[in-house]
Amino acid sequence: MADVTAIIASPRKGGNCAAIVNMMVDVLTAEGKTVDVYRLNDIEGKGCQACYACKKAGKCVRKDGFTPVLESIAQSGSLILATPDYFGQACAQYRLLEDRMYGYVGMDAEGNFTANIPAGKKVAVVVTSGSGAGADNIVNGIKGVMGGFLKCDVVGEINYKEGPSGPAAENAEAMAEAEALAKKL
């Protein structure tokens, strides 16, 4: 089991999501933490099939390329979730994973949502965009799912708008922000 699970949803291998997550991973490994890094675009799998078998099992029962990702998310103590802003929404790769995390949502006898993964898992949210037009909504949406439904502790976010700032990898402020956020995990 890794200490941290890092998810890069962007299909771009050298883009802003990857640059920020890679800096965070460097900081975490320098601190002696183990990190599982998953590039969602490299994974073969389908979205949630609404079979509801997860409600009995407490996790998604489908077996495909997302199975080890979901297992790592459940077992690690912290998560980094990174997605680009596409048309004001998280990219399709991220949405596919988030829908599959539905298996971690349960309900108690009073109808309140419960989490089928350990509560209090630390989460860092990274959203990158060209202009930032929809990025704030994406950040808040991810924080809502992770904090509200899965009872995680969202320790911070990076909302990087490339625009005039240039690529994140070349932006000292963005890399310093990534370093500081990693230290919270």
Side-chain angles (χ1 to χ4, degrees):
M1 170 181 83
D3 296 312
V4 181
T5 299
I7 305 294
I8 302 171
S10 177
R12 295 176 57 215
K13 290 191 179 194
N16 292 325
C17 281
I20 292 168
V21 171
N22 289 340
M23 171 57 82
M24 294 175 77
V25 169
D26 289 348
V27 169
L28 292 163
T29 56
E31 292 178 347
K33 294 185 178 175
T34 57
V35 184
D36 286 341
V37 179
Y38 295 96
R39 292 188 38 74
L40 298 185
N41 204 52
D42 297 339
I43 295 173
E44 301 253 346
K46 291 185 175 183
C48 176
Q49 299 298 296
C51 69
Y52 291 96
C54 62
K55 298 308 159 208
K56 290 181 184 170
K59 63 180 183 176
C60 183
V61 299
R62 293 189 54 80
K63 301 294 180 211
D64 62 15
F66 280 95
T67 302
V69 181
L70 292 166
E71 289 172 355
S72 185
I73 288 170
Q75 295 171 4
S76 65
S78 299
L79 305 173
I80 301 169
L81 301 173
T83 181
D85 169 358
Y86 287 177
F87 296 106
Q89 300 178 48
C91 70
Q93 292 85 340
Y94 180 80
R95 288 292 307 133
L96 185 116
L97 175 67
E98 190 175 77
D99 284 352
R100 291 285 293 275
M101 286 192 280
Y102 179 60
Y104 295 137
V105 177
M107 194 169 290
D108 66 18
E110 289 82 40
N112 300 309
F113 289 114
T114 61
N116 296 329
I117 58 175
K121 191 178 297 281
K122 293 181 180 180
V123 177
V125 178
V126 176
V127 175
T128 63
S129 63
S131 67
D136 291 336
N137 291 336
I138 298 167
V139 168
N140 291 332
I142 294 171
K143 288 168 59 174
V145 167
M146 298 311 294
F149 290 101
L150 298 179
K151 311 304 182 206
C152 295
D153 177 17
V154 180
V155 297
E157 73 261 0
I158 294 174
N159 186 345
Y160 186 74
K161 299 167 182 78
E162 183 171 350
S165 302
E170 299 170 12
N171 185 299
E173 186 177 317
M175 292 296 98
E177 194 175 354
E179 182 177 348
L181 183 54
K183 291 181 179 194
K184 293 181 180 181
L185 296 175

